[in-house]
Structures are given as C-alpha cells and as structure tokens.
Amino acid sequence: AYECYLQARREAYRWRQDAIDHAVQLLRNGLAIIGENAELYAALGRTHLQYREAGIDLGEGPLREADECARKVLALDPQCCAGLQLRAFINYSTGRIQEAVRDLKAAHEIEPNPETLALLCNCYLISGYVSFARPLIDQLVAVDPLTPLTRCMPGFADLMEGNVAAAL
C-alpha cells in the first residue's frame, strides 16, 4: 500500500492525464490492500485535484471526488493533518481562502510540513498579506530548499510587493 502511495505521488506530479489516471488507480489499489486509510484517502483527494491543477478537468468532478475523500479522511481521524490539508486545498481551489488558511494553520500545528507551508504562503500572497507570508517563506526555504515551488516563493512575494526587479 505504501509503494502504491509513493508511486501515485510520483505519477500525479507528471501533470498528464494518463499519469494522473494511473495515480488514482494506484491509490485505489493501496486502499484495496489495507482498507480504510486516512493518508491514502487524502492522497486520492489531492490526486483528483491534480486534474484541475494540470488544466485537464476544470469542472466540478475533481472537486466532488476530493470532497468525498476529505469527508472520509476526517471521519476516520478529525485531526489528520493530511485531511485538513486536503480540505484547505479544496477551499483554495474554490476561492474560499479564509477557510483554507484556517485549515492550513490547524494542519501546520499538528504536523508542520513543506506542502502545508507552501499553500499557506500562497494563500497569504494572493490575499495581499505579504508580511504574513515572508516569515513562512523563510521557514519553507529552510526546510525544503530544493523544491522548485519553494524557490519561486521569495520572488512571488517580491512581485506582490511591486518589486519586479527583485522578483526577476
């Protein structure tokens, strides 16, 4: 089941429909192996959202699938970091940024991780709260310096402050 999880994560980030389809199947295979599992349901929900992030399916289907997964995760474990993170991503995807921030802060208190920090930084930046994002960006760069999204965050903050030269 864990191998299914790891392979699915790799596939989902290939940003192609066939790869995301394969990731969904891998996660379903993992669930078939071990049964109800909060982490696998959370990964499945994030993978469904990947269809939207990749521009493959911008309809309601991926949101419905992700929402169903979030409900399952939080029913299994109301304090599951991955479940709160998934719910935050759903809120972010539907423009409910305040709700996303609330869930991300709660997830970060339970289990700090780069994915939560990155989305929280992005929520603050797109909302114009660069001063809230800056210390989190510093923290993100310290714990996850090699991820391309992490490397972009300081420039995104500069851009949001109108400092195009520093952003470039």
Side-chain angles (χ1 to χ4, degrees):
Y2 187 62
E3 279 186 31
C4 289
Y5 170 83
L6 292 176
Q7 290 173 9
R9 182 180 167 113
R10 183 190 68 225
E11 286 294 304
Y13 285 115
R14 291 177 59 206
W15 302 93
R16 294 190 344 243
Q17 182 167 350
D18 62 322
I20 298 169
D21 291 345
H22 186 218
V24 167
Q25 188 57 54
L26 285 164
L27 292 165
R28 288 184 177 145
N29 292 348
L31 286 163
I33 292 167
I34 63 171
E36 302 275 300
N37 179 276
E39 293 294 329
L40 286 176
Y41 278 128
L44 182 59
R46 285 191 311 270
T47 302
H48 280 293
L49 291 175
Q50 197 71 1
Y51 287 112
R52 290 178 61 89
E53 289 295 305
I56 296 164
D57 184 349
L58 300 175
E60 295 297 314
L63 290 170
R64 279 193 304 273
E65 294 287 343
D67 193 54
E68 179 63 27
C69 289
R71 279 198 288 275
K72 288 178 180 180
V73 172
L74 295 170
L76 289 167
D77 181 0
Q79 293 301 307
C80 178
C81 176
L84 292 169
Q85 186 185 66
L86 173 58
R87 192 168 65 188
F89 206 126
I90 294 166
N91 285 325
Y92 171 82
S93 297
T94 57
R96 296 186 312 257
I97 304 304
Q98 288 179 328
E99 291 88 346
V101 167
R102 182 196 64 228
D103 285 336
L104 290 165
K105 284 180 175 180
H108 186 66
E109 286 180 24
I110 294 167
E111 180 187 322
N113 66 59
E115 287 181 350
T116 299
L117 274 175
L119 187 53
L120 184 55
C121 290
N122 196 53
C123 286
Y124 283 141
L125 291 172
I126 66 172
S127 299
Y129 293 106
V130 179
S131 63
F132 290 1
R134 284 280 185 196
L136 297 175
I137 291 170
D138 292 342
Q139 187 179 357
L140 179 60
V141 169
V143 299
D144 190 27
L146 301 179
T147 299
L149 178 63
T150 298
R151 303 300 301 163
C152 293
M153 282 294 180
F156 187 22
D158 289 330
L159 185 63
M160 296 304 291
E161 290 177 320
N163 190 346
V164 176
L168 290 173

